[in-house]
Amino acid sequence: MKSILELREKLDNGSVTKNELFSNSVDLCKKYQDEYNSFVTIMDGYEKIDSNGVLSGVPYALKDN
């Protein structure tokens, strides 16, 4: 598990791409979905959005508390 800052650094230095990071995250979600039922919807299609914000390319999960 990496922090947001670690993921941002990997994206910035090119050691991982947004597509690779997204695919890996979706794979992990699907791996644990049957066991934990953590997600209502897993959006497994990557939509390229041209953005250079701090969180651009960093996957996340949203939980309704």
Side-chain angles (χ1 to χ4, degrees), residues 38-65:
S38 301
F39 305 99
V40 173
T41 304
I42 298 173
M43 301 179 76
D44 57 0
Y46 179 78
E47 185 176 322
K48 185 174 189 251
I49 298 172
D50 290 328
S51 173
N52 292 324
V54 175
L55 296 177
S56 176
V58 177
Y60 68 94
L62 178 64
K63 174 71 175 139
D64 61 336
N65 289 324

Side-chain angles (χ1 to χ4, degrees), residues 7-31:
L7 293 175
R8 180 78 261 157
E9 183 178 328
K10 288 183 173 292
L11 286 166
D12 290 343
N13 70 23
S15 64
V16 68
T17 67
K18 291 177 182 181
N19 286 334
E20 291 169 333
L21 193 54
F22 179 83
S23 294
N24 181 264
S25 297
V26 169
D27 291 345
L28 285 173
C29 291
K30 289 180 176 181
K31 177 180 177 181

